[in-house]
């Protein structure tokens, strides 16, 4: 079984900064990616649109230049969202849109994930005119949808979790207050989120990662496979099944966004860095997930290559690549100074079921 597709877009990925940047970009090129949405949780974070970097913040303008200088100029689309903080103003949104540099803004739950400590509670932007300005100018809201500040059973329990609560309590209110605001619900992991996106109007869409389609919390816990530790956490099988159902439904609201996050050190002094690295291997993993439901080429093509560009308002790629159902191996990414371990290494089924070929 071998299929040819237009090159695809990764509408949620992390590339960080510094000397490793070219390696991370190359690993996206290696997997036939035509364009990226590069998340702004760099150090320092990207909380301004234009001008030069400072020690406190970076700008979209300068990060775009860094990405391009590291090889991303070969992509046909690069979007860098603005990291929302309590200092973001409606004027920044309006000026940012006029500059042509601002396409989307990212909500991070304060202290909820990697480099998210600059985020403010979501109510802030509902009250201070930022979401209103985004709605008026067509700037997309990228949401990391987890309630912040929860612990114990409320964070992750039998009867709910931080994402579940966020999609029951928060996002419906934003959508009701700003029905024209385009919302990309990032890396959804629960049935609650998938159901919300399905019943909302067409301004609401969602990205789904390969790991959330393929794995559950049991895969993470058995043997403590910490390379699968990402946020939001992988959940239970009912949730995974709901995500898969949404992904294979053909509904244009669901599309690829890997959340690939190259952590050079997963082990921290007091825990584990959140984020899975799927550079080089994401289309192969997505294909494996779609195959669980008997691969339908057209539906897979929509999810991987077409729905995302349509939501973000650009054309599909006119280049192509192919995927063949034939086993292939995953290998660590070696940069000059670091080794990044991709997702399937050490997992129960490390061998990929699909092989990717460029420019077929
Ligand atoms: C991301 C990272 O490493 O930057 N980590 C993750 O677990 N997904 C941040 C994020 O998207 O939450
Ligand atoms: Zn992310």
């Amino acid at each position: 079984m071998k299929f040819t597709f237009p090159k695809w877009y990764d509408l949620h990925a992390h590339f960080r900064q510094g000397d490793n940047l070219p390696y991370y970009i190359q690993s996206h090129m290696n997997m036939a990616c035509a364009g990226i949405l590069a998340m702004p949780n760099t150090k320092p974070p990207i909380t301004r649109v234009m001008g030069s970097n400072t020690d406190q913040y970076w700008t979209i303008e300068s990060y775009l230049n860094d990405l391009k200088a590291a090889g991303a100029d070969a992509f046909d689309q690069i979007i860098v969202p603005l990291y929302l903080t309590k200092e973001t103003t409606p004027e920044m949104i309006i000026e940012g849109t006029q500059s042509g540099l601002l396409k989307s803004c990212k909500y991070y739950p304060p202290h909820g994930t990697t480099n998210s400590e600059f985020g403010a509670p979501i109510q802030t932007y509902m009250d201070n005119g930022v979401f209103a300005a985004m709605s008026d100018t067509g700037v997309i809201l990228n949401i990391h949808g987890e309630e912040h500040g929860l612990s114990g059973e409320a964070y992750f329990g039998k009867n709910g979790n931080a994402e579940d609560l966020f999609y029951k309590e928060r996002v419906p209110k934003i959508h009701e207050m700003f029905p024209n605001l385009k919302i990309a619900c990032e890396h959804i992991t629960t049935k609650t989120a998938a159901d919300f996106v399905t019943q909302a109007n067409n301004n609401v869409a969602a990205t789904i990662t390969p790991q959330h389609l393929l794995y559950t919390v049991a895969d993470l816990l058995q043997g403590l496979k910490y390379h699968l530790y990402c946020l939001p956490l992988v959940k239970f099988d009912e949730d995974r099944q709901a995500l898969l159902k949404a992904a294979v439904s053909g509904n244009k609201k669901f599309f690829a966004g890997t959340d690939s996050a190259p952590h050079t050190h997963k082990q921290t002094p007091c825990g584990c860095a959140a984020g899975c690295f799927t550079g080089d291997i994401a289309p192969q993993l997505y294909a494996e997930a779609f195959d669980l439901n008997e691969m339908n080429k057209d539906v897979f093509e929509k999810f991987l290559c077409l729905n995302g560009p349509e939501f973000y308002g650009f054309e599909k790629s006119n280049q192509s690549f192919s995927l063949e159902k034939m086993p292939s191996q995953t290998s660590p990414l070696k940069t000059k100074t670091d080794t990044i371990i991709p997702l399937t290494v050490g997992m129960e089924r490390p061998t990929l079921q699909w092989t990717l070929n460029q420019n077929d």
Side-chain angles (χ1 to χ4, degrees), residues 113-149:
T113 185
T114 310
N115 303 345
S116 67
E117 59 273 27
F118 304 96
I122 201 146
Q123 188 72 38
T124 315
Y125 319 111
M126 296 169 74
D127 296 339
N128 70 3
V130 167
F131 285 171
M134 289 170 63
S135 174
D136 291 346
T137 50
V139 171
I140 293 172
L141 172 61
N142 305 111
I143 286 190
H144 181 121
E146 288 189 289
E147 185 68 18
H148 71 281

Side-chain angles (χ1 to χ4, degrees), residues 38-61:
M39 281 292 168
N41 61 338
T42 46
K43 281 185 173 171
I46 297 163
T47 62
R48 298 285 192 285
V49 180
M50 287 165 285
S52 322
N53 291 340
T54 70
D55 289 344
Q56 280 71 46
Y57 63 78
W58 279 7
T59 69
I60 293 178
E61 187 176 9

Side-chain angles (χ1 to χ4, degrees), residues 12-14 16 39 41 106 108 113 144 186-187 209 231-232 258-261 275:
H12 182 140
H14 298 266
R16 315 293 192 220
M39 281 292 168
N41 61 338
K106 175 71 186 264
Y108 279 106
T113 185
H144 181 121
E186 300 296 339
H187 46 51
T209 76
L231 293 173
T258 63
D259 202 8
S260 179

